[in-house]
Amino acid sequence: MTLSKRSNAVKDGLFRTAARALIKGAGFSDDDIKKPFIGIANSWTNMFPGHAHHNQLAEAVMAGVQSAGGTPFVFSTIAICDGIATGLDGMRYSLPSRELIADSAETMAGAHCFDAMVYIASCDKIIPGMLMAAARINLPSIIVSGGPMLTGFYKGERVSLISLGESVGKVMTGKLSQEDLLAMEDEACPGCGSCQGMYTANSMASLLEVIGMGLPGTGTIPAVHAGRIRLAKEAGKRIIKLLEDDIKPSDIINENSLRNCITTDMLLGCSTNTVLHLLALTAELDIDVDLKTFDEISKKTPNICRLSPAGNHHFEDFFEAGGMSAVINEGIKHNLLKGDNITVTGNNLLENVSGTEIENNEVIRSISNPYTNEGGLSVLWGNLAPEGALIKSSAVAEEMLYHKGPARVFNSEQEAFKAISDNMVKSGDVVVIRYEGPRGAPGMPEMVMITALLAGMGLDKDVALVTDGRFSGASRGAMVGHVTPEAADGGPIALIQEGDIIEVNVRERTISLLVEEDMLESRAKKWSCIKLDSAGDYLQRYAKLVGPSSKGATLKQRT
């Protein structure tokens, strides 16, 4: 086979004798060394279910690579579970880990001159980090997701991770016993896979299919399904064909495929975190897509799917209803998506999904009968968020699409959690949590414990939340995140005082601080950034370099 290109620099000639000896020392033969070098980035860890099965997927990818005539080399990247870290200082490391994952993949591929790459990823920051790496390195690449987890059952009803978060609030208000909660805890995560709803992990895995970087089924085949192993094996085979045809991420990811991706994001009502990660991807490729693009597409894209937390269906239901192929085909038929973009299959998007149909109209509606005529995510603008803010509008109760109330101001998630737990937040309030942005926290932690607590206490239809931090895809309610400029940069959110009236109008896509402009100017003159909590060395460096969330919170030098 003569496909080896970059790897020839490592293995060919007299002066590479020592390099070949080292590779042989790991058990590889002369025949192995002659074949193309395929790097496999594996984010395995045995700590949590999203990644605990990745070694099995890696074995399948390796088998596929070998059967197609390549030599696979597996290496590790880090993986953080947001569900474990949430509510703690450790959550600050979640978003920054995305940059470390991208950097580590770039480093291994650059140092060892791999000819092509397969990325095995699940969960919130790992898929985006590897997608960024694929774009940056620009070698023939495929991303294989670990797949969604199945739901559990307790007393005849489905339970999932989001059930637990909201049940904590029910225990606190006497609506559920601690014994029932413990029993639910044992059933909520019945096996491997990423959390069961349209949360960030499954959102990003699904979008891999429409952007063209994952094989059909990547986003929806359950983690425990044998089809997941077959898909991983096929990816190993397919990467050799991509190398042979010299199809790279730069051939697949362009403005058209990104707009397809954003449109599908709106059709599905994905996590608000997808905006953060897709903007980061555009920064890697210098593609002209920004927050205004999301706003423009959202206004003309109907929402046809409401998986948990926006509805009662989960990802296994989505898979059985036709999954991403059915959604993509529906979008192409109604001229919302373009089907001519090349994908990792070697075929275009239309060819990948041709013939697939929606199998259950309760799980996936037709575009002619949507939940709403606008997308599942909305960008809000106003004097409180001059550079934009985000809300998962498909997960907002009808009565909270407009809300006006007094601000309850907190300078950290922990302060807000204690106040809510102590019943100090009342119906009609607007909870403001600031200094939780990319620079301010640092690390822009998710507020999933806060949102779950509010929902569990029955306040998600009475209380709005506004933050320069972000939310898990599992969050529901009138939760406005990604407010920019953030408080640490002196944004208007830093100027809010207790009792100020805030107006959130999702229908009109506005968010306003109802305080006279001259008063805000007076406050701005007196403002100084609060002293940020101590942070580790990496987080301190991250805070100095990270850009605003409205541009993807990437590590580009601040200007």
Side-chain angles (χ1 to χ4, degrees):
M1 211 169 190
T2 59
L3 295 181
S4 301
K5 298 176 181 178
R6 294 178 81 248
S7 61
N8 291 341
V10 170
K11 61 192 180 185
D12 283 1
L14 176 66
F15 296 108
R16 304 310 304 165
T17 300
R20 291 192 297 272
L22 287 165
I23 296 170
K24 289 178 180 179
F28 294 92
S29 67
D30 283 320
D31 188 49
D32 293 329
I33 293 172
K34 291 176 184 176
K35 296 174 182 177
F37 283 10
I38 309 301
I40 302 173
N42 180 14
S43 53
W44 173 84
T45 172
N46 68 348
M47 188 174 185
F48 55 94
H51 293 248
H53 61 309
H54 278 199
N55 281 346
Q56 187 180 17
L57 296 178
E59 291 288 342
V61 172
M62 290 172 66
V65 169
Q66 289 167 332
S67 70
T71 298
F73 296 98
V74 182
F75 64 91
S76 299
T77 70
I78 61 172
I80 288 175
C81 176
D82 289 5
I84 294 173
T86 189
L88 305 173
D89 281 348
M91 189 62 195
R92 294 175 172 185
Y93 286 92
S94 176
L95 181 59
S97 75
R98 184 188 69 183
E99 315 307 310
L100 293 175
I101 291 162
D103 289 349
S104 66
E106 175 193 354
T107 299
M108 287 294 289
H112 299 118
C113 297
F114 296 137
D115 295 302
M117 297 285 294
V118 179
Y119 300 86
I120 303 172
S122 294
C123 299
D124 303 46
K125 308 307 150 324
I126 298 89
I127 293 174
M130 291 190 175
L131 188 56
M132 290 164 64
R136 184 187 305 172
I137 300 165
N138 201 32
L139 296 174
S141 299
I142 292 178
I143 302 178
V144 177
S145 121
M149 185 192 300
L150 299 179
T151 51
F153 283 87
Y154 178 64
K155 292 186 176 180
E157 294 186 3
R158 282 182 170 181
V159 291
S160 63
L161 197 68
I162 191 175
S163 306
L164 294 185
E166 296 186 1
S167 294
V168 169
K170 292 178 181 178
V171 170
M172 293 176 64
T173 55
K175 299 175 183 176
L176 187 75
S177 71
Q178 291 192 12
E179 290 75 19
D180 276 335
L181 180 58
L182 179 60
M184 290 172 64
E185 179 183 322
D186 290 338
E187 302 300 328
C189 298
C192 289
S194 48
C195 299
Q196 301 104 325
M198 189 60 84
Y199 317 147
T200 310
N202 289 330
S203 294
M204 288 303 304
S206 296
L207 294 180
L208 287 174
E209 295 189 40
V210 71
I211 206 170
M213 289 299 295
L215 296 173
T218 291
T220 54
I221 297 174
V224 296
H225 197 298
R228 179 64 51 182
I229 302 298
R230 295 194 294 269
L231 182 142
K233 191 176 293 185
E234 178 59 29
K237 294 178 182 178
R238 184 65 212 161
I239 195 63
I240 301 299
K241 182 62 174 170
L242 286 176
L243 178 60
E244 184 179 283
D245 295 341
D246 196 30
I247 297 175
K248 305 186 193 68
S250 59
D251 301 310
I252 296 171
I253 307 171
N254 51 41
E255 185 171 347
N256 280 340
S257 62
L258 273 164
R259 291 182 77 91
N260 272 350
C261 203
I262 297 167
T263 300
T264 308
D265 199 345
M266 300 305 167
L267 287 168
L268 295 175
C270 293
S271 165
T272 52
N273 284 322
T274 57
V275 179
L276 195 69
H277 300 318
L278 292 175
L279 288 173
L281 181 61
T282 68
E284 294 290 345
L285 296 166
D286 198 25
I287 293 173
D288 188 21
V289 168
D290 58 19
L291 204 55
K292 291 180 180 178
T293 310
F294 284 82
D295 195 26
E296 165 213 328
I297 292 174
S298 177
K299 288 176 179 177
K300 62 184 182 183
T301 305
N303 175 228
I304 63 171
C305 192
R306 291 200 169 174
L307 302 185
S308 175
N312 296 321
H313 296 113
H314 295 81
F315 245 73
E316 60 207 78
D317 306 309
F318 185 53
F319 170 64
E320 292 168 1
M324 283 302 297
S325 291
V327 170
I328 293 167
N329 198 35
E330 181 77 359
I332 292 173
K333 285 192 298 184
H334 287 81
N335 297 316
L336 289 173
L337 300 176
K338 294 182 178 179
D340 55 354
N341 265 67
I342 192 72
T343 73
V344 291
T345 65
N347 298 321
N348 64 32
L349 194 62
L350 175 60
E351 291 167 333
N352 285 352
V353 303
S354 181
T356 60
E357 299 293 339
I358 298 170
E359 302 293 338
N360 186 334
N361 285 107
E362 291 184 8
V363 179
I364 305 171
R365 290 191 177 187
S366 66
I367 285 174
S368 59
N369 181 36
Y371 284 100
T372 59
N373 291 321
E374 294 188 353
L377 302 180
S378 297
V379 183
L380 307 184
W381 310 90
N383 71 335
L384 184 47
E387 295 174 14
L390 294 173
I391 188 168
K392 187 169 183 173
S393 45
S394 61
V396 180
E398 180 72 20
E399 56 265 47
M400 289 298 288
L401 291 173
Y402 176 85
H403 183 81
K404 183 167 73 171
R408 301 299 315 282
V409 183
F410 306 97
N411 289 331
S412 73
E413 179 185 6
Q414 290 75 16
E415 283 183 24
F417 189 85
K418 185 177 187 307
I420 296 168
S421 301
D422 292 343
N423 294 308
M424 295 175 64
V425 171
K426 305 301 181 184
S427 176
D429 287 346
V430 178
V431 175
V432 175
I433 308 176
R434 60 192 181 191
Y435 295 101
E436 295 287 8
R439 184 169 170 241
M444 202 182 184
E446 290 181 345
M447 307 289 167
V448 65
M449 285 187 68
I450 297 278
T451 60
L453 183 61
L454 287 169
M457 295 174 71
L459 292 173
D460 58 306
K461 295 181 180 179
D462 301 290
V463 171
L465 195 157
V466 175
T467 181
D468 51 8
R470 58 195 178 90
F471 304 118
S472 163
S475 299
R476 61 185 173 94
M479 312 299 172
V480 182
H482 302 233
V483 171
T484 48
E486 63 173 292
D489 284 334
I493 192 171
L495 308 180
I496 302 172
Q497 293 184 2
E498 190 80 6
D500 285 348
I501 302 300
I502 294 174
E503 181 183 62
V504 178
N505 191 330
V506 180
R507 292 189 183 92
E508 298 296 325
R509 298 173 183 259
T510 60
I511 180 167
S512 305
L513 176 59
L514 302 184
V515 175
E516 295 295 333
E517 189 63 33
D518 57 352
M519 176 61 73
L520 292 178
E521 290 176 2
S522 175
R523 291 179 188 179
K525 291 175 182 177
K526 300 173 184 177
W527 174 83
S528 61
C529 187
I530 65 168
K531 185 179 180 181
L532 303 179
D533 290 341
S534 60
D537 184 64
Y538 174 56
L539 290 182
Q540 291 182 38
R541 285 183 281 126
Y542 179 87
K544 291 177 181 178
L545 294 173
V546 68
S549 60
S550 58
K551 295 183 178 179
T554 59
L555 287 189
K556 307 296 181 183
Q557 184 67 49
R558 297 177 70 86
T559 56

